[in-house]
């Protein structure tokens, strides 16, 4: 296969060819797929500053024919999905490619029977069960644009997304179990839809068996609908640049934006990066622990593995339930050979007694992956030694919702894998480090803003309903480049080390939140006048959320009052975003450090939150320097 890299020499050759002759390189890679009609041009549009890249324009296809139909001749009885439920006492289930194909077709027919058409937006809010994968693919089969919302977001966060996407249909379930937690997802959706006029129908999958309210003329049970449909459903022919999905992600300003990926480029990038980074072989059992509600779940649980005809494990639960040995138990049980998880999960399991790992052989493992945030050296070594037993290469994969797939990473066992380094860029990826003024920093041993110099097939195409926003955020700050929002270092060997965000985005357990987004949720509390949120180093989560809050009635003078106010702040965040964005520390203050022009000096707040109070830098431009003293004295 043109696209498969197996040696270091092949990597260098592919890198060079993709940089010098991208049309030829990606045209060859694209030959491996099933097309209804081939492309007229491989690359087109204007990458930057317009942000209008196109890939494989003129081609038509359906991504599910590539994920499912094309495997039926040779892999019909191969496992496509292994489902491991939240509770280890419940039976796991398996779906072969033939069965998955049938279920996707049935779900597609149910959607069609309920009026969902090509181009319609479908919001999916479901537990991590096979029906979530099936629904997502069913949307793609009929050309509906899926927007999966992680089932941990609140009703109001769902409503924001449904309304922004003007979704006409929602698919959900009765409830979900995540570890010891239970979430009545259908009733969360009911609350959300009170303010969503565009939604005409809600399809409900029975999972927990909990009672739910079904709204007449809107809500339908999947098990009723599926009885009347065929097990085949023709795939709708899509243009290369038709939208495939919208995935909402946080930025440094405003509400979360709907990142749009399209059919052909995303497909090529998902398969290419999956196969090369993990060095996948036919008999691998692959497990990505991310939820399908995040981009990692989209590209590396669903599309990448299925495009490749691999077996993908889908896990409903959490790493620590019912014990911190769960991941390792599941690996042994299903003979997982490639394991892809997040540093935050590794750190939380590192904190448990080592016996939880030592109890399992983990001998099936071949490759380990990490994603979502920088992996610290201690976690890297623990993962390498205790999980990989010193014999599995670790791929530390740097990428973003906007990049569609992995950009900088070792190719397992082929390119260098060094602790705390993402490594070398994939073929097709041309990273640069920029100074603040936007000049390229040449040579090795350099640190700057990470940007990408040329288009790649998985690049974000637009932000839903607002192309100007995409242009301004990604393509305009440094004309000629895609701006990542991350800072990075290129070491002496030319390996990239990602340092972290340089904007007002914080990364909590690998999940992105804008500080402005959390502040506006906090400000919804009736007890709050103003707030400022910053990130601070957190042992398990990577970054924690530190909130400085000015109260409406002045500083509380007793513990009871203080607790009540803090409770109302947390409640506001849980209601407007979800439990996942709950502040770790709240400091009630009487003022915030502001410049004379009224700008909050976040630099100072960040330093205090980090505990670096001895060196706060210049505070003379502050309107009221005394505020800083109070804040330092009251640090949590
Ligand atoms: C895939 C994903 C993107 C942000 C990104 C960066 C951070 C992701 C990383 C990493 C260091 C890695 N990030 N992977 N930082 N090393 N291997 O996580 O997408 O949720 O959009 O987050 O996550 O800061 O800019 P997304």
């Amino acid at each position: 296969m043109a696209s498969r890299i197996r040696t270091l020499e092949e990597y260098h050759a592919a890198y060079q060819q993709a940089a010098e002759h991208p049309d030829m390189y990606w045209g060859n890679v694209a030959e491996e797929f099933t097309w209804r009609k081939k492309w007229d041009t491989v690359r087109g549009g204007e990458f930057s500053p317009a942000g209008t890249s196109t890939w494989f324009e003129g081609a038509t296809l359906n991504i599910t024919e590539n994920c499912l139909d094309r495997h039926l001749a040779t892999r019909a009885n191969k496992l496509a999905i292994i489902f491991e439920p939240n509770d280890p006492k419940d039976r796991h289930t398996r779906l072969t490619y033939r069965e998955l194909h049938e279920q996707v077709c049935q779900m597609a027919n149910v959607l069609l029977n309920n009026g969902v058409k090509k181009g319609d937006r479908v919001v999916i809010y479901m537990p991590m069960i096979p029906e979530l994968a099936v629904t997502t693919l069913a949307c793609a089969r009929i050309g509906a644009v899926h927007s999966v919302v992680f089932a941990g977001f609140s009703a109001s966060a769902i409503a924001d997304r449904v309304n922004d996407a003007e979704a006409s249909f929602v698919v959900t379930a009765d409830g979900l179990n995540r570890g010891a937690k239970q979430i009545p997802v259908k009733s969360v959706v009911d609350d959300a839809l009170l303010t969503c006029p565009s939604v005409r129908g809600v399809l409900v999958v029975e999972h927990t068996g909990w009672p739910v309210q079904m709204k007449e003329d809107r809500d339908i049970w999947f098990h009723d609908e599926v009885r009347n449909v065929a097990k085949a459903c023709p795939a709708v022919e899509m243009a290369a640049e038709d939208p495939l999905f919208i995935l909402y992600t946080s930025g440094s300003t405003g509400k979360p934006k709907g990142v749009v990926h399209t059919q052909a480029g995303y497909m090529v990038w998902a398969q290419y990066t999956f196969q090369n980074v993990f060095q996948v072989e036919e008999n691998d059992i692959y497990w990505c622990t991310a939820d399908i509600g995040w981009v990692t779940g989209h590209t590396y649980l669903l599309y990448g593995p299925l495009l490749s005809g691999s077996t993908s494990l889908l896990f409903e639960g959490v790493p620590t339930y019912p014990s911190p040995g769960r991941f390792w138990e599941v690996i042994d049980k299903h003979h997982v050979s490639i394991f892809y998880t997040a540093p935050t999960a590794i750190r939380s399991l590192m904190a448990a007694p080592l016996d939880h790992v030592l109890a399992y052989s983990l001998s099936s493992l071949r490759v380990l992956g990490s994603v979502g945030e920088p992996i610290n050296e201690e976690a890297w070594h623990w993962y390498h030694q205790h999980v990989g037993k010193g014999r599995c290469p670790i791929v530390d994969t740097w990428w973003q919702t906007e990049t569609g797939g992995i950009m900088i990473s070792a190719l397992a066992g082929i390119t260098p894998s060094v602790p705390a380094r993402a490594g070398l860029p994939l073929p097709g990826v041309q990273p640069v480090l920029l100074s603040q003024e936007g000049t390229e920093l040449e040579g090795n041993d350099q640190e700057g803003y990470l940007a990408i110099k040329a288009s790649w097939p998985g690049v974000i195409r637009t932000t839903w309903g607002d192309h100007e926003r995409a242009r301004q955020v990604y393509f305009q700050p440094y004309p000629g480049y895609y701006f990542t929002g991350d800072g990075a270092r290129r070491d002496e060997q030319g390996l990239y080390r990602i340092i972290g965000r340089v904007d007002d985005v914080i990364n909590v357990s690998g999940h992105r939140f804008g500080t402005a987004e959390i502040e506006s949720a906090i400000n919804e509390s009736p007890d709050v006048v103003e707030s400022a949120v910053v990130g601070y180093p957190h042992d398990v989560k990577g970054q924690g959320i530190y909130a400085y809050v000015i109260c409406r009635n002045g500083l509380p003078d007793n513990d009871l009052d203080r607790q009540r106010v803090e409770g109302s702040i947390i409640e506001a965040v849980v209601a407007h975003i979800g439990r996942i964005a709950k502040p770790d520390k709240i400091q009630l203050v009487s003022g915030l450090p502001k410049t004379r022009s009224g700008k909050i000096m976040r630099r100072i707040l960040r330093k205090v939150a980090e505990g670096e109070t001895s060196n706060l830098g210049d505070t003379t431009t502050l309107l009221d320097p005394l505020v800083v003293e109070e804040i330092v004295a009251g640090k949590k």
Side-chain angles (χ1 to χ4, degrees):
M1 282 199 295
S3 68
R4 196 51 194 271
I5 297 163
R6 294 188 182 277
T7 63
L8 192 58
E9 293 70 45
E10 283 176 14
Y11 163 77
H12 287 301
Y15 192 86
Q16 195 178 353
Q17 211 201 2
E20 289 170 8
H21 309 287
D23 290 0
M24 187 165 82
Y25 187 76
W26 294 108
N28 278 335
V29 171
E31 292 292 342
E32 291 164 17
F33 294 82
T34 299
W35 303 90
R36 294 281 183 92
K37 176 176 171 288
K38 292 224 175 129
W39 50 94
D40 301 323
T41 43
V42 173
R43 255 174 343 140
E46 197 191 337
F47 172 59
S48 168
T52 55
S53 275
T54 62
W55 283 85
F56 309 108
E57 189 105 84
T60 64
L61 72 154
N62 187 288
I63 194 170
T64 70
E65 287 187 334
N66 286 276
C67 288
L68 302 169
D69 304 59
R70 74 166 156 160
H71 301 312
L72 293 182
T74 51
R75 299 185 175 111
N77 296 320
K78 179 174 175 177
L79 293 182
I81 291 182
I82 300 174
F83 170 62
E84 174 67 24
N86 182 58
D87 188 334
K89 293 197 290 295
D90 291 343
R91 248 173 54 84
H92 67 269
T93 53
R94 302 150 184 255
L95 288 176
T96 63
Y97 271 90
R98 189 199 315 280
E99 289 164 336
L100 181 62
H101 180 268
E102 259 177 35
Q103 293 200 8
V104 169
C105 286
Q106 286 180 312
M107 179 61 86
N109 284 324
V110 168
L111 295 175
L112 287 171
N113 285 350
N114 285 283
V116 180
K117 303 181 307 295
K118 176 175 175 176
D120 287 353
R121 275 79 62 205
V122 175
V123 164
I124 303 173
Y125 186 78
M126 289 176 86
M128 275 284 282
I129 55 177
E131 289 87 343
L132 168 54
V134 166
T135 307
T136 308
L137 294 168
C139 288
R141 185 119 186 132
I142 62 171
V145 180
H146 57 75
S147 187
V148 183
V149 176
F150 172 66
F153 280 110
S154 67
S156 129
I158 301 172
D160 286 347
R161 288 157 174 76
V162 166
N163 289 330
D164 186 80
E166 294 179 86
S168 58
F169 205 79
V170 175
V171 185
T172 188
D174 44 4
L176 77 74
N177 293 295
R178 188 180 290 133
K181 279 202 205 93
Q182 304 190 321
I183 304 176
V185 277
K186 170 63 166 66
S187 83
V188 179
V189 167
D190 289 340
D191 288 349
L193 297 190
L194 292 173
T195 54
C196 299
S198 58
V199 174
R200 294 191 308 271
V202 177
L203 182 69
V204 188
V205 171
E206 185 175 24
H207 176 53
T208 55
W210 302 338
V212 297
Q213 289 208 326
M214 298 295 277
K215 187 165 187 255
E216 233 185 291
D217 298 330
R218 189 195 71 183
D219 300 354
I220 39 182
W221 282 108
F222 174 69
H223 55 254
D224 288 339
E225 298 288 309
V226 75
R227 287 196 200 109
N228 314 317
V229 300
K231 289 181 174 164
C233 174
V236 170
E237 184 168 355
M238 304 299 289
E241 287 296 342
D242 282 340
L244 171 64
F245 66 83
I246 308 171
L247 190 55
Y248 285 85
T249 189
S250 298
S252 48
T253 55
K255 285 198 186 272
K257 45 193 176 238
V259 171
V260 175
H261 285 289
T262 55
Q263 310 278 335
Y266 175 80
M267 171 177 79
V268 168
W269 195 238
Q271 176 182 305
Y272 178 88
T273 54
F274 173 71
Q275 294 183 357
N276 283 308
V277 169
F278 297 104
Q279 290 292 306
V280 179
E281 303 292 346
E282 188 63 40
N283 293 325
D284 275 316
I285 306 286
Y286 165 87
W287 181 16
C288 165
T289 67
D291 193 288
I292 294 178
W294 309 108
V295 76
T296 305
H298 277 58
T299 308
Y300 298 110
L301 192 157
L302 203 57
Y303 285 113
L306 297 179
L307 285 164
S308 305
S310 298
T311 300
S312 183
L313 192 145
L314 195 158
F315 176 46
E316 187 183 15
V318 296
T320 48
Y321 180 85
S323 84
R326 186 68 192 278
F327 269 4
W328 323 129
E329 179 196 332
V330 172
I331 288 173
D332 271 10
K333 177 174 172 187
H334 297 292
H335 311 290
V336 171
S337 54
I338 306 178
F339 180 63
Y340 191 31
T341 195
T344 184
I346 298 167
R347 288 192 298 265
S348 77
L349 299 176
M350 263 167 78
L354 199 55
D355 292 353
H356 285 292
V357 195
L358 298 181
Y360 300 96
S361 94
L362 305 181
S363 57
S364 54
L365 286 175
R366 198 166 68 69
V367 174
L368 301 176
S370 171
V371 62
E373 52 172 317
I375 178 166
N376 50 308
E377 296 212 15
E378 195 191 352
W380 194 100
H381 286 295
W382 189 89
Y383 197 28
H384 189 250
Q385 182 183 348
H386 296 296
V387 181
K389 312 292 181 197
R391 56 181 169 74
C392 304
I394 294 182
V395 292
D396 175 4
T397 62
W398 175 82
W399 60 295
Q400 311 177 297
T401 306
E402 294 87 342
T403 69
I406 296 168
M407 301 288 279
I408 302 181
S409 166
L411 309 184
I414 294 179
T415 56
S417 168
V418 175
R421 305 281 190 287
L424 294 173
L426 264 64
V429 177
Q430 298 184 41
V432 295
L433 298 174
L434 300 178
S435 70
Q436 206 152 11
E437 296 72 41
T439 39
E440 271 187 42
L441 305 170
E442 311 272 342
N444 289 340
D445 207 5
Q446 291 280 15
E447 192 171 314
Y449 291 167
L450 180 62
I452 314 289
K453 208 173 175 167
S455 187
W456 67 97
V459 66
I460 177 178
R461 298 307 198 271
T462 188
T463 41
W464 184 260
D466 189 358
H467 184 71
E468 187 52 22
R469 187 170 178 196
R471 206 177 72 76
Q472 281 177 6
V473 173
Y474 305 109
F475 299 102
Q476 197 173 295
Y478 298 104
Y481 306 95
Y482 163 85
F483 178 53
T484 66
D486 279 317
R489 193 177 168 74
R490 194 163 48 227
D491 72 9
E492 303 73 21
Q493 272 88 51
L495 305 181
Y496 285 85
R497 171 191 200 126
I498 311 300
I499 296 164
R501 302 289 305 194
V502 294
D503 53 8
D504 287 321
V505 168
I506 46 188
N507 189 328
V508 184
S509 300
H511 302 146
R512 277 162 68 170
F513 297 101
T515 51
E517 180 190 358
I518 303 175
E519 287 159 8
S520 82
I522 292 176
N523 298 351
E524 292 289 328
S525 156
D527 294 307
V528 172
V529 179
E530 196 184 3
S531 60
V533 165
V534 296
Y536 72 97
H538 186 288
D539 284 350
V540 172
K541 298 179 176 182
Q543 278 190 298
I545 300 174
Y546 195 119
Y548 299 89
V549 183
I550 305 178
C551 308
R552 188 160 300 284
N553 299 316
L555 284 178
D557 53 13
N558 62 66
D559 280 353
L560 212 64
D561 242 15
R562 178 179 306 278
Q563 280 164 16
R564 192 190 58 75
V565 172
E566 292 186 2
S568 97
I569 290 167
I570 290 176
E571 213 175 284
V573 175
V574 171
H576 290 276
I577 306 175
R579 206 156 282 287
I580 40 177
K582 233 170 53 178
D584 298 277
K585 293 185 182 180
I586 298 173
Q587 182 177 348
L588 304 180
V589 294
S590 59
L592 290 167
K594 288 189 182 168
T595 60
R596 291 200 173 81
S597 59
K599 268 187 93 160
I600 296 176
M601 297 264 278
R602 286 170 187 281
R603 176 178 60 78
I604 294 178
L605 295 176
R606 241 178 258 132
K607 285 214 161 158
V608 174
E610 285 165 8
E612 266 196 54
T613 49
S614 55
N615 173 26
L616 291 178
D618 184 11
T619 55
T620 53
T621 56
L622 286 177
L623 193 59
D624 179 7
L626 283 183
V627 165
V628 177
E629 282 174 34
E630 178 206 309
I631 287 178
V632 169
K635 181 190 167 341
K636 289 281 171 124

